[in-house]
Amino acid sequence: MGRAPWGVDVTGRDRAISLHQRHMLITGLSDNGKTAAMRALALWVARDPGADLWIADLKGPAGWAMFDGIADRLVIGPTDEHVIAATEMLEDAVVEMQRRFQVGGSHRPLFVVVDEAQVAYMCPAKDPAKRPFGGQSNDARYLGAVRKIHNQGRAVDVTLWEATQDPTNQNLPVLSREGNHVRASLVVGTEAQAKMALGEAAVAGGAAPQELRRGLDKGALVVAGSGLEMEPWEVAVTVRTHYIDDATATQIAKRALIARQKAQQASTPTADPVDDLAAILAALRGEERVRTTAVLARLVADRPDRYRPWTAATLTAVLTAAGAPPRKRSTMKVSRTDLLAAIVARDAHQTGAMAGGPIRG
Ligand SMILES: Nc1ncnc2c1ncn2[C@@H]1O[C@H](COP(=O)(O)OP(=O)(O)OP(=O)(O)O)[C@@H](O)[C@H]1O
Ligand SMILES: [Mg+2]
């Protein structure tokens, strides 16, 4: 996927960033270009059919809608329900990481993106077992998943990007912010916030996003950490990001979606579709709705030879081709009702085709 062009530095030189196995944090005051800066990189990823995106935008509704169809997981909205869905998305990424560790080998890069992550860290909701989604207690679910991805994702190509506004110790826990390899900040209010955004060392070395001018320097990003090529004496680089407006982003996304659909058609397994749908049905174990991650795990348990190489994307592709796509937007779940209908429709079609006419009765 190479280096993503991100902007120009103060000398006018083009600056690009390597997205390979780097967790990333983008901070900054509201309305200065966080979403634009992160979305430009996500569009770069979208253009590569060999990479996957899972996206949660905890503000919504604008900004990320054009990734519908591109992102296998897309959560858009500000409520506790959306935070819960975003947390489950991260936890599913952790399950996917564990699967990758088990099967070994190389993997499609998976980029997990959370815009407005402060909404998750500040979420007061608790699950039925009384575990909080937000906060930073030992049992906090969102932070717990973030830390697992930070600690172990890199080796199996699962990468997390978070964007958050107006950082504080509450809405951006130190355990989270220090887990990033790339830290980029638009204008922030104070030097203390700059340290939260970029780390003590970068600010001590002269990085000063608090000195950017609010509003006037929209899109100007101080980037620290790895990823951008820097001179030996640089601890941070100020980049004015190339601005991709909504209309242009939508156009790029449309083209990316077409390229992805073509690539998917070429790679969707065609052999033995009867067995796959039946195997998926068996993996539901009679339950009405089962998370795709659980279905995958059961498929592997049932027939490791055939299903070990499958990813969530394979399962989604097979179900979509059969007319029973998993439900998107919150947790991805396979529906027994949809699947049965798809099998009935397929069998009717096959019988009809074989008999050379419509079926009766
Ligand atoms: N690189 C840029 N160059 C010029 N203008 C920009 C750039 N990036 C963003 N802007 C302007 O800033 C506005 C806000 O950008 P964006 O929505 O990305 O900010 P944000 O920090 O995500 O805001 P919020 O906190 O409200 O989500 C854009 O609508 C655009 O007008
Ligand atoms: Mg935004």
Side-chain angles (χ1 to χ4, degrees):
M1 116 175 5
R3 291 177 163 268
W6 212 7
V8 293
D9 67 16
V10 288
T11 69
R13 180 175 144 205
D14 282 315
R15 294 287 192 147
I17 181 162
S18 166
L19 301 174
H20 184 57
Q21 297 179 344
R22 287 185 173 85
H23 304 305
M24 178 165 58
L25 172 67
I26 299 185
T27 42
L29 296 180
S30 190
D31 197 37
N32 278 275
K34 291 182 303 295
T35 297
M38 192 170 265
R39 190 174 72 182
L41 300 182
L43 287 167
W44 177 260
V45 171
R47 291 170 64 253
D48 180 351
D52 293 321
L53 279 162
W54 294 3
I55 297 173
D57 170 15
L58 296 176
K59 188 167 77 170
W64 294 92
M66 68 284 291
F67 286 85
D68 197 5
I70 293 174
D72 290 323
R73 305 282 293 267
L74 188 61
V75 177
I76 298 183
T79 69
D80 288 355
E81 291 304 311
H82 296 101
V83 171
I84 292 167
T87 304
E88 288 174 344
M89 179 181 92
L90 260 59
E91 290 172 344
D92 285 349
V94 172
V95 172
E96 170 64 10
M97 278 162 40
Q98 286 155 354
R99 189 191 69 80
R100 292 179 177 202
F101 276 115
Q102 266 170 19
V103 300
S106 62
H107 304 279
R108 293 165 63 86
L110 168 61
F111 294 88
V112 182
V113 179
V114 182
D115 196 1
E116 307 283 349
Q118 77 281 351
V119 176
Y121 290 114
M122 300 303 283
C123 176
K126 292 188 175 174
D127 69 13
K130 301 261 182 298
R131 287 184 65 191
F133 287 91
Q136 29 195 320
S137 55
N138 282 336
D139 59 349
R141 285 181 58 177
Y142 180 83
L143 177 61
V146 165
R147 296 203 64 212
K148 285 188 185 131
I149 299 173
H150 278 171
N151 291 338
Q152 295 157 26
R154 188 172 200 168
V156 286
D157 255 313
V158 175
T159 307
L160 180 64
W161 301 349
E162 285 180 291
T164 177
Q165 72 181 34
D166 215 358
T168 66
N169 282 320
Q170 282 66 47
N171 72 22
L172 184 59
V174 61
L175 286 174
S176 163
R177 62 196 194 228
E178 296 299 330
N180 291 286
H181 305 107
V182 182
R183 290 167 76 169
S185 182
L186 296 132
V187 60
V188 290
T190 64
E191 187 178 316
Q193 286 189 315
K195 287 178 180 165
M196 292 181 216
L198 299 180
E200 300 268 349
V203 174
Q210 74 277 17
E211 283 167 20
L212 293 168
R213 296 159 306 170
R214 192 171 184 171
L216 286 176
D217 287 331
K218 279 188 181 184
L221 202 57
V222 182
V223 187
S226 69
L228 278 195
E229 268 169 6
M230 291 189 200
E231 303 299 341
W233 59 85
E234 289 175 322
V235 293
V237 179
T238 302
V239 175
R240 182 173 295 277
T241 55
H242 301 302
Y243 181 53
I244 302 173
D245 63 22
D246 283 355
T248 313
T250 303
Q251 284 303 317
I252 295 171
K254 265 190 193 147
R255 287 199 296 271
L257 179 59
I258 291 167
R260 283 172 167 263
Q261 284 167 338
K262 280 192 185 143
Q264 197 173 54
Q265 272 164 13
S267 70
T268 301
T270 50
D272 216 1
V274 179
D275 269 0
D276 286 337
L277 293 186
I280 296 167
L281 185 63
L284 297 186
R285 312 280 196 258
E287 294 167 53
E288 181 47 41
R289 283 171 197 276
V290 184
R291 286 165 78 167
T292 51
T293 44
V295 173
L296 269 180
R298 291 173 188 175
L299 284 171
V300 174
D302 292 351
R303 272 189 66 181
D305 53 319
R306 177 156 182 86
Y307 295 113
R308 209 177 272 284
W310 277 35
T311 66
T314 325
L315 179 61
T316 301
V318 169
L319 287 168
T320 305
R327 305 298 177 97
K328 285 190 186 179
R329 284 195 185 278
S330 83
T331 321
M332 294 280 271
K333 287 188 176 158
V334 180
S335 155
R336 187 164 179 276
T337 307
D338 290 359
L339 183 57
L340 280 171
I343 292 176
V344 169
R346 182 206 56 198
D347 291 351
H349 178 75
Q350 280 177 350
T351 316
M354 272 186 283
I359 355 162
R360 278 170 246 279

